[in-house]
Amino acid sequence: MPFFSHFCRQLQNKVAAAPKENRFPALDKRKVRVIMIKNENTAKRRSYAAFAEIFHFVFVENHLFSQKPLYFELFKETFPMIGDMKTVLSGVQPSGNLTIGNYLGAIRNFTAFPDEYKRFYCVVDLHAITVRQVPAELRRRPYETLALYMACGLDETKNTLFVQSHVPAHAELGWILDCYTMFGELSRMTQFKDKSSKHSENVNAGLFTYPTLMASDILLYQTDVVPVGIDQKQHLELARNIAERFNQVYGDTFTVPDGYISKDTMKIMSLAEPTAKMSKSDPNPNAVVYILDSKDDIIRKFKKAVTDSEAEVRFSEDKPGVSNLITIYRAFTGKSVEEVEAEFRGCGYGDFKLAVGEACADGLAPVRDEFARLMADKAHLEAVMKAGADEAAYYARKTMSKVRRKIGFVN
Ligand code: TYM
């Protein structure tokens, strides 16, 4: 079968050249990656089946399963006719305790992507130092953020979970992209304007070029989809512009990414000032509900939430406090606006706020329990970080060698 032996030889050579630890995957069916085989004829399908046996893939109907991302990648390189997977990437800064805004606007959506996607979720510690951090806290928080990712349902065997600074290519590509980003573009970033007014004593160059580093996070993995809250939309558009500009100069190099912004929870507001975003750096502890707050704290904070003088549970632009609480309640109960309005018709705000607090606390309870369990095993978290960084670095290297070649760097 010439088709098979030709590709098989190619693949055998690649596997022989691959790092040792990637060579002999012990298949655990719970931890598999999948390749779709599209509309192939019988002869080719038979080849895949034979191939699967030799290289420890599992072949079932139209799918090839592999536990090792590297094998997976080598397979795709060898059989380019096979449909590619879409890539998802997002990140969260380890710059404070994470809020229900981070949870509902971003992390919970990370888990919405099925196994057909290649998924990268990083803890963006390089971004965090644009604002002064206490080193001991910055050292602790990546573990917490990673454990939270996992506690929120990101299975480390199916998602690549890693710490940004463990893959130096982020900073390297960040610098390169700085040279393809205009001063005027960065000056227009509203988050830069906000943060530089809040931290006027430390308006550093990193704060200014932060969005190019974010573009680098995204473009490094040829990302198709970026799940974020609405506050990141402007940064995402910049990443698209940078990718398009680079592609125009050098030919197709980067995938131009799309955002995935969930309509209902794209902007969770502060409980104390419901026209402002809920933010982990808010100095008022009653304004923010943290994912890891105790049930009592959560209920207390919701009881204090700012509403209005109408005493009517109704979703409306001129009722930002009540509308925000309805959004949060809906996110934890799955109910529609009409259902929530009907449920609390004729009730005072007291009952409503208590119900929101309870729904939120109960919804987060499993995350809190799982977080505590995961944090007790630091060695496991370290192993996850390490494996994630190795895996991410593999993909990052591929993009970097393409970028270096296109720009004209000597390899
Ligand atoms: P960060 O760490 O500020 O926030 C993490 C994610 O949470 C979302 N978010 C919210 N969503 C709804 N309501 C809120 N109140 C709320 N607060 C925060 C954010 O939109 C974000 O999705 N620059 C990013 C981190 C980043 C990144 C990336 C994201 C760095 N590189 C690459 C995506 C892809 C940031 O500061 O997020």
Side-chain angles (χ1 to χ4, degrees), residues 221-286:
Y221 300 95
Q222 306 292 349
T223 304
D224 297 281
V225 193
V226 185
V228 280
I230 194 81
D231 62 327
Q232 297 301 317
K233 189 166 180 244
Q234 199 186 25
H235 290 163
L236 203 60
E237 268 158 18
L238 181 70
R240 287 173 60 88
N241 292 342
I242 297 172
E244 278 165 357
R245 183 172 304 140
F246 198 98
N247 288 349
Q248 229 160 33
V249 178
Y250 298 105
D252 214 11
T253 310
F254 295 121
T255 302
V256 179
D258 284 316
Y260 174 92
I261 298 175
S262 84
K263 194 169 141 281
D264 289 331
T265 54
M266 63 189 179
K267 194 172 186 184
I268 301 296
M269 308 309 256
S270 150
L271 296 191
E273 202 187 322
T275 48
K277 187 190 80 164
M278 183 181 285
S279 161
K280 53 182 173 283
S281 56
D282 195 318
N284 176 358
N286 291 324

Side-chain angles (χ1 to χ4, degrees), residues 103-332:
Y103 178 68
L104 298 176
I107 303 175
R108 197 167 76 160
N109 297 331
F110 298 174
T111 60
F113 294 91
D115 286 359
E116 283 74 22
Y117 286 81
K118 209 155 59 189
R119 291 152 294 182
F120 296 89
Y121 296 110
C122 55
V123 179
V124 293
D125 53 350
L126 295 176
H127 280 91
I129 62 165
T130 52
V131 170
R132 282 282 175 273
Q133 303 289 334
V134 177
E137 286 178 16
L138 189 60
R139 210 167 285 130
R140 196 187 69 233
R141 288 216 185 97
Y143 291 93
E144 294 175 355
T145 312
L146 194 76
L148 258 182
Y149 279 173
M150 291 157 72
C152 291
L154 291 177
D155 178 343
E156 72 275 21
T157 63
K158 295 186 172 183
N159 298 271
T160 304
L161 308 179
F162 67 105
V163 177
Q164 184 190 28
S165 68
H166 291 178
V167 184
H170 287 249
E172 187 184 356
L173 183 60
W175 167 257
I176 292 173
L177 297 183
D178 276 343
C179 303
Y180 297 84
T181 308
M182 300 302 128
F183 184 88
E185 286 178 305
L186 291 174
S187 320
R188 285 194 289 278
M189 296 291 119
T190 51
Q191 209 158 65
F192 170 70
K193 292 184 204 164
D194 272 9
K195 284 204 175 170
S196 48
S197 67
K198 273 188 199 144
H199 302 275
S200 54
E201 75 303 339
N202 183 24
V203 184
N204 58 71
L207 199 62
F208 188 65
T209 58
Y210 175 116
T212 356
L213 182 59
M214 178 162 159
S216 147
D217 301 338
I218 296 168
L219 304 185
L220 197 49
Y221 300 95
Q222 306 292 349
T223 304
D224 297 281
V225 193
V226 185
V228 280
I230 194 81
D231 62 327
Q232 297 301 317
K233 189 166 180 244
Q234 199 186 25
H235 290 163
L236 203 60
E237 268 158 18
L238 181 70
R240 287 173 60 88
N241 292 342
I242 297 172
E244 278 165 357
R245 183 172 304 140
F246 198 98
N247 288 349
Q248 229 160 33
V249 178
Y250 298 105
D252 214 11
T253 310
F254 295 121
T255 302
V256 179
D258 284 316
Y260 174 92
I261 298 175
S262 84
K263 194 169 141 281
D264 289 331
T265 54
M266 63 189 179
K267 194 172 186 184
I268 301 296
M269 308 309 256
S270 150
L271 296 191
E273 202 187 322
T275 48
K277 187 190 80 164
M278 183 181 285
S279 161
K280 53 182 173 283
S281 56
D282 195 318
N284 176 358
N286 291 324
V288 185
V289 177
Y290 298 107
I291 302 176
L292 298 174
D293 272 347
S294 68
K295 180 166 186 170
D296 287 351
D297 279 344
I298 293 177
I299 289 176
R300 184 178 48 75
K301 289 179 184 184
F302 277 107
K303 276 187 181 162
K304 285 200 175 141
V306 168
T307 47
D308 52 52
S309 54
E310 262 188 13
E312 185 191 4
V313 177
R314 180 168 51 85
F315 193 90
S316 162
E317 245 176 59
D318 58 359
K319 290 167 75 69
V322 171
S323 299
N324 188 39
L325 296 181
I326 293 178
T327 298
I328 295 170
Y329 188 63
R330 290 184 57 210
F332 283 107

